[in-house]
Amino acid sequence: MELAISQRDTDILLKERNLLKTEVLEKYRLSGQIAQTTLKYVIELINNSYHLGKRSQPFSAAEICLLGDSLMSSLLQNAYKNSSIREKGIAQPVTLDVNDIVIGYAPEIDDGVNLYFQPGDIVSIGLGCQIDGYTSNVSHTLVIYPQGVQDGETGDLKPTGPLLGSSADAICAAHI
């Protein structure tokens, strides 16, 4: 059985779409930059809230997801403003996978459930954006460690000690 595809569609799909032209590479590069910038921002939010104690009340998972999605949307709006881009947007909203219990967790602010991270939690951040269908997805895993003590000489916040237990063993095994 053969598919009935016109020669014109075949040429577009097999010849034009699969070429890595300069404009295609630029779309991939820019979507990757936006995704990476958003990932760094989300990691900074978590570090400032939980590790460094720069906020009196840490951000909840819903607030972190909302702030990350807002930044990604604003960066995408500024990309290719005066161009013939057909579509651009969020391919995967900011999701937080916590301790292998919750996967693809992207809560809304009005859900009424505020998830806050605890020391020892393993959090995987995932997100992605696309420009004209050229998608960049990124992810990063980090451990929520307890706030440390301030070093007298440098003034830096130092962890109280290494993370121990089954979570630490799993991370070390995955790293090795």
Side-chain angles (χ1 to χ4, degrees), residues 103-117:
I103 296 182
Y105 187 59
E108 296 290 327
I109 292 289
D110 57 355
D111 279 350
V113 178
N114 289 330
L115 173 68
Y116 292 94
F117 305 126

Side-chain angles (χ1 to χ4, degrees), residues 5 25-26 42 74 116 121 125 144 164 166-167:
I5 300 174
L25 290 174
E26 180 62 24
V42 170
S74 68
Y116 292 94
D121 283 351
I125 306 160
I144 305 297
L164 301 173
S166 60
S167 296

Side-chain angles (χ1 to χ4, degrees), residues 37 40 58 70 74 78 85 89 91 96 115 126 132 149 159 165 172:
T37 301
K40 286 180 184 179
S70 298
S74 68
N78 293 333
I85 298 297
L96 303 170
L115 173 68
D132 264 354
V149 292
C172 287

Side-chain angles (χ1 to χ4, degrees), residues 38 41-42 45-46 59-75 90 92-96 105-111 113-115 117 125-127:
T38 305
Y41 175 70
V42 170
L45 288 175
I46 292 173
F59 287 119
S60 68
E63 292 169 329
I64 291 171
C65 289
L66 179 69
L67 290 169
D69 288 343
S70 298
L71 176 70
M72 192 167 19
S73 292
S74 68
L75 291 173
I90 295 176
Q92 176 189 349
V94 175
T95 59
L96 303 170
Y105 187 59
E108 296 290 327
I109 292 289
D110 57 355
D111 279 350
V113 178
N114 289 330
L115 173 68
F117 305 126
I125 306 160
L127 58 97

